[in-house]
Structures are given as C-alpha cells and as structure tokens.
C-alpha cells in the first residue's frame, strides 16, 4: 500500500489532456478546482477526452508541439493541490472523503502508516538486505525523530530521490512493487507466466523486439494522427 503511493509525488497541479477537438482549443485544466472544469471525472463534455500523445512519447523531437511533458521525478515533493483535497474545511466534504478534517494527502498517507502498523523503511531495507538510508540522508526528519525510523511511504520516495535521482524506484520500493506484480501473475493460473512463461509480445511495434505502451495504444486504434 505504502509503496504503490509513490505516484503521488508525480502528480502535477495541472495537465493538458488533449490538443482540442477539430473546432476547439486544447483542454488544459487543474487536477482539482471547485470553480472550474478540472480533471476529475463525471463531467461529460465534447472537449473532455484524452490525446495519448500528451502523456506518452510518440515522437522523438522534443521541440514538437506534440511532445509530452516529462514526468515529475519520484521524490519527497508533492504538488500544492494534494495538501488541500476537494471537500477540505470549511467547505462541504467531497463524496468519498472522510469527515475527520484531515484533507492533506501526505497526512493521510502517514496516518495509514501508523494505523496499519507498517514497519519503517529502514526495518524493511534491513530484512531485504538492501542499502539503508543514513540519518544524514533523512536529515529533514530529525526534528520529528523519524530520521532513523521513517514511515515507509516517505522512505520509498526519499530512496528514489537519493539513490536513483528520482528516475525510478529504489531497491526497497522497486522490489515491493515488482514482487507484487510478479506474485499476482504467478498466482493466476491463466496468466502468461503460468501458461507460457516464455511468451513474448507478438503485436507489431515501432522497434522490433521492443514492445511499449505506445505500441499497444497504436494497435488499439486510439491514437489518431495529429496535424
């Protein structure tokens, strides 16, 4: 649970969802905005659709108007909207959110760590035999006495930031996420790891022997050509 929340650090305050319909302008909106047309669902409209080119790299030219923005790094910095989730006091509570007044996503993650009794990041790293972050690498937590026993969610973000420059998960976070996926596939009697462990993608791809999400989207026919 804590490991899979690493994506919270990659959320931007706003996104360009598409380049616009033929007779309109691009749809650019904030993640949360109570007064405007934001990125939450449940608001059907002709301009609310996804151009996958805004999220995935279909062109190599960084200067192309259709080039996507790079992902935010995996680190300990969160976008401002995540500290004031929809429905935060003094306004009415949004559907699905607790009424306890804690509407900061970071706070909610840390509270879950305590409520579920999740071991610290350092404890899990030692069990795994992975590199353990030093108190100096977690110095910002020293005033809270958490530099030597760090909540797993924060530890995984810091580990990626310090050891992998924010480009990928570190040894603890990466192993947890990877082993869960592999474990689910192995436990599924119908998965390709069970039925045919040597299976490889056979659909067409832009680069022979390398099948990526862009190839899947292209094959699915959901990537119309852009002018």
């Amino acid at each position: 649970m804590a490991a899979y929340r690493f994506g919270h650090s990659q959320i931007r305050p706003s996104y360009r969802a598409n380049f616009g319909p033929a007779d309109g302008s691009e749809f650019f909106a904030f993640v949360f905005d109570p007064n405007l047309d934001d990125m939450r669902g449940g608001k059907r409209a002709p301009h609310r659709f996804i151009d996958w080119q805004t999220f995935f790299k279909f062109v190599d030219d960084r200067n192309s108007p259709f080039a996507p923005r790079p992902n935010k790094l995996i680190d300990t910095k969160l976008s401002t909207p995540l500290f004031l989730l929809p429905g935060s006091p003094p306004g009415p509570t949004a559907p699905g959110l607790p009424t306890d007044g804690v509407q900061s996503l970071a706070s909610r993650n840390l509270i879950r760590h305590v409520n579920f009794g999740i071991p610290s990041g350092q404890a899990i790293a030692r069990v795994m035999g992975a590199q353990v972050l030093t108190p100096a690498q977690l110095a910002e937590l020293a005033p809270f006495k958490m530099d030597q026993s760090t909540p797993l969610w924060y530890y995984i973000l810091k580990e990626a930031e310090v050891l992998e420059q924010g480009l990928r998960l570190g040894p603890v976070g990466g192993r947890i996420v990877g082993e869960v996926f592999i474990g689910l596939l192995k436990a599924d009697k119908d998965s390709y790891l069970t039925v045919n462990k040597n299976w490889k993608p056979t659909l067409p791809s832009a680069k022979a022997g390398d099948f990526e999400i862009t190839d899947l989207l292209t094959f699915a026919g959901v990537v119309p050509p852009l002018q």
Side-chain angles (χ1 to χ4, degrees):
M1 178 180 65
Y4 280 85
R5 292 175 179 269
F6 77 88
H8 292 169
S9 72
Q10 295 185 284
I11 298 174
R12 294 185 181 280
S14 59
Y15 288 90
R16 178 178 62 177
N18 59 54
F19 299 104
D23 58 349
S25 59
E26 62 185 18
F27 177 38
F28 183 91
F30 289 102
V31 176
F32 304 129
D33 191 330
N35 301 313
L36 297 174
D37 195 11
D38 63 19
M39 296 294 292
R40 284 176 288 174
K43 303 175 182 178
R44 289 180 176 271
H47 67 285
R48 296 181 68 88
F49 62 91
I50 296 293
D51 273 327
W52 292 109
Q53 294 95 325
T54 66
F55 293 96
F56 297 103
K57 183 181 177 182
F58 286 87
V59 296
D60 291 325
D61 183 3
R62 293 183 179 180
N63 297 318
S64 168
F66 304 126
R69 293 182 65 187
N71 284 334
K72 280 188 63 189
L73 298 177
I74 305 173
D75 55 27
T76 56
K77 302 176 181 65
L78 298 187
S79 296
T80 302
L82 301 185
F83 288 94
L84 193 66
L85 298 176
S88 299
T93 301
L97 284 179
T99 58
D100 56 11
V102 182
Q103 304 300 343
S104 161
L105 187 57
S107 296
R108 303 211 67 84
N109 287 340
L110 296 173
I111 290 172
R112 286 188 180 95
H113 174 89
V114 175
N115 289 344
F116 284 92
I118 300 173
S120 70
Q122 290 90 337
I124 294 177
R126 293 188 186 99
V127 170
M128 288 183 174
Q131 178 179 344
V132 180
L133 296 184
T134 66
Q137 291 171 317
L138 293 157
E140 70 274 19
L141 298 182
F144 310 101
K145 302 186 185 303
M146 291 193 294
D147 54 328
Q148 298 185 54
S149 182
T150 307
L152 181 60
W153 172 68
Y154 190 94
Y155 185 94
I156 286 172
L157 297 181
K158 191 67 175 184
E159 177 189 60
E161 178 183 328
V162 172
L163 302 182
E164 300 293 345
Q165 293 73 55
L167 299 176
R168 60 186 66 83
L169 290 171
V172 172
R175 180 171 173 179
I176 292 174
V177 172
E179 286 190 353
V180 168
F181 273 114
I182 294 173
L184 289 171
L185 289 170
K186 285 185 174 180
D188 181 359
K189 63 182 179 61
D190 296 319
S191 76
Y192 61 85
L193 279 184
T194 302
V195 176
N196 181 6
K197 64 177 62 178
N198 295 318
W199 175 86
K200 293 183 179 180
T202 57
L203 297 176
S205 60
K207 181 180 179 181
D210 191 2
F211 191 81
E212 300 182 351
I213 184 65
T214 50
D215 298 308
L216 180 61
L217 292 169
T218 299
F219 178 80
V222 295
V223 188
L226 299 172
Q227 302 297 327

